[in-house]
Amino acid sequence: MGGVDYYDSLCLESAVPHYSARIYVTLRPSVLDPAGTAVQSGLAHMGYSNVGPVRIGKYIELTLDADSEATASQQLDRMCDQLLANPVIENYRFELQTLATA
């Protein structure tokens, strides 16, 4: 209330566009998912026998500055390949949205 939040201060500091990214990381279909199996078993023991196979993944949100959406997308690809996902056993996808500027 009445203050400037982080995203507003980013927009006031530069003319470089700011982006919000939602990143979804999931195991490749060929990789076994013991955590998913445990969740499915737990749900069955709770009486939810109608639940099929469960796969567990990661959800990541971040903001970044980039000159263009294409540049932001390229940076996100590198981030995912190098740190956020293990490309040997995981797939990823992301949604990129431009944040409103002041």
Side-chain angles (χ1 to χ4, degrees), residues 40-73:
Q40 181 184 9
S41 176
L43 291 170
H45 281 89
M46 294 172 64
Y48 299 104
S49 58
N50 59 326
V51 174
V54 175
R55 304 287 286 177
I56 303 294
K58 296 182 275 189
Y59 172 72
I60 303 160
E61 287 185 354
L62 58 84
T63 59
L64 69 152
D65 299 338
D67 293 328
S68 68
E69 188 170 333
T71 300
S73 182

Side-chain angles (χ1 to χ4, degrees), residues 50-98:
N50 59 326
V51 174
V54 175
R55 304 287 286 177
I56 303 294
K58 296 182 275 189
Y59 172 72
I60 303 160
E61 287 185 354
L62 58 84
T63 59
L64 69 152
D65 299 338
D67 293 328
S68 68
E69 188 170 333
T71 300
S73 182
Q74 290 170 350
Q75 289 179 354
L76 282 167
D77 270 326
R78 286 195 307 270
M79 289 177 202
C80 289
D81 282 336
Q82 295 173 356
L83 178 67
L84 302 177
N86 178 346
V88 175
I89 62 169
E90 294 174 319
N91 293 322
Y92 66 87
R93 66 179 175 84
F94 55 83
E95 299 167 356
L96 193 58
Q97 182 177 15
T98 305

